[in-house]
Amino acid sequence: MTGDDLQPSRTALLSAAARAAHVLVDDDPALFLDDLAERVLGTAGTDMIRYHRHQGGHPILAAARVQATLRSRFAEAALRDAVGRGVDQYLLLGAGLDTFGVRSELARSLLVVEVDHPATQRWKRSRLADTGLDASSAVRYVDADLTADAVLDRALSVGLDASRPVFVSWLGGVPYFRPCELSRVLSDLARLPPGSELVADYHVPPDWQDDHAELYVRAVSEVASDGAEPWRSSFTPDGVAALLAENGFVVVTDHSERDSVPAGFWERRDGLRPGSLMRLVHARRTADG
């Protein structure tokens, strides 16, 4: 992700605004509740959240809320299961404005390490301090460029233990990386021990997208490109499985948006509908990887 010395990634702001707006705009059942996103955003999110409030049924804004909430729900549900199996380390790649470290009771029992671009990290930590949500005692922060830095070494430098399993999430970031860059990050994560897990979301190719997804891609990819954060990759489920297998990970589940939650969540009165652009994958490091 990009940014200057003062500003966080625009996509991180947009994602946090979508999570915040879901709490304010959409009906029950909630896909995911992030009751701190609006507070962390502060005035930086005012206009973004206002758009969601005033035009909540717009398909582009509704799709953004679905994607931002579903991937967080999926990741944190898989994390809870992993903790039940004894995993006690959580590594967030491209953490953005994720609030898990200050929102979740589960964070208190884990070593939480957040990795992101220095500008986004500095902005977020400043906002947390300003709002009395400083998580410095619970969360270790790592400044890194995922396209160039050895992420795992950076995480080890703040206390991550690579001799024990780690749960890794990479939410909202994979589409912004070229396949060769993804392979480099995954090969680094392949140094983690068996039993480590990875959750990520990814985009599917155009021939997997329905008309609504194509509309969303045209609208949002232009905004991302204008902000110097263009989408650079897409995969079929088989393609993702192959990329993960090359780096010692086996797919546990790979879900569409619709199938990532029980069917009853889509019996709604609001404008939220499952899309076809994003898929969610959960993989585990194998013993022979």
Side-chain angles (χ1 to χ4, degrees):
M1 300 298 94
T2 61
D4 55 31
D5 288 341
L6 299 176
Q7 294 300 320
S9 158
R10 178 167 175 76
T11 55
L13 292 171
L14 291 170
S15 294
R19 294 194 305 273
H22 180 54
V23 177
L24 304 170
V25 172
D26 298 313
D27 297 329
D28 291 330
L31 299 176
F32 182 76
L33 290 176
D34 186 343
D35 56 358
L36 294 181
E38 182 179 20
R39 185 171 166 185
V40 173
L41 281 165
T43 57
T46 301
D47 288 341
M48 297 177 187
I49 295 172
R50 182 184 297 121
Y51 288 135
H52 284 276
R53 280 183 178 275
H54 292 172
Q55 302 183 55
H58 191 285
I60 303 300
L61 294 176
R65 295 197 301 279
V66 168
Q67 291 183 25
T69 54
L70 280 184
R71 62 192 179 217
S72 290
R73 177 192 179 94
F74 185 77
E76 293 189 19
L79 172 62
R80 284 192 296 273
D81 289 344
V83 171
R85 292 188 290 273
V87 176
D88 63 358
Q89 301 182 100
Y90 184 23
L91 175 62
L92 295 85
L93 300 184
L97 304 184
D98 190 289
T99 63
F100 173 84
V102 291
R103 169 177 42 78
S104 175
E105 289 290 329
L106 188 59
R108 299 181 182 180
S109 62
L110 304 175
L111 172 65
V112 180
V113 178
E114 295 191 8
V115 180
D116 212 333
H117 187 279
T120 298
Q121 291 280 51
R122 282 195 288 269
W123 190 91
K124 177 180 180 177
R125 296 183 70 175
S126 175
R127 284 297 307 149
L128 290 174
D130 289 346
T131 57
L133 294 171
D134 186 2
S136 58
S137 62
V139 180
R140 315 284 176 87
Y141 295 97
V142 176
D143 294 347
D145 179 351
L146 296 182
T147 65
D149 295 327
V151 174
L152 188 53
D153 286 344
R154 294 290 184 90
L156 296 177
S157 73
V158 298
L160 195 79
D161 183 354
S163 70
R164 297 185 292 109
V166 178
F167 187 94
V168 183
S169 69
W170 195 356
L171 305 182
V174 168
Y176 298 93
F177 289 77
R178 297 178 178 87
C180 61
E181 294 168 337
L182 295 172
S183 292
R184 190 190 60 77
V185 175
L186 289 172
S187 67
D188 194 19
L189 296 178
R191 296 159 55 197
L192 293 172
S196 295
E197 303 182 36
L198 169 68
V199 166
D201 58 292
Y202 65 95
H203 288 176
V204 297
D207 56 351
W208 280 64
Q209 300 168 19
D210 61 20
D211 291 343
H212 294 291
E214 291 176 6
L215 176 65
Y216 181 86
V217 168
R218 286 198 298 272
V220 179
S221 62
E222 291 180 4
V223 174
S225 296
D226 289 346
E229 297 176 294
W231 289 338
R232 293 188 169 101
S233 68
S234 62
F235 298 91
T236 64
D238 285 347
V240 160
L243 179 63
L244 290 166
E246 290 170 3
N247 294 284
F249 287 89
V250 62
V251 172
V252 177
T253 60
D254 188 308
H255 290 305
S256 67
E257 293 182 21
R258 178 178 294 278
D259 294 337
S260 69
V261 295
F265 277 80
W266 301 120
E267 297 173 4
R268 313 189 63 87
R269 295 173 297 173
D270 54 32
L272 300 189
R273 301 292 181 269
S276 64
L277 174 63
M278 180 185 76
R279 292 187 67 89
L280 297 150
V281 64
H282 176 199
R284 186 170 292 123
R285 183 82 172 85
T286 58
D288 57 353

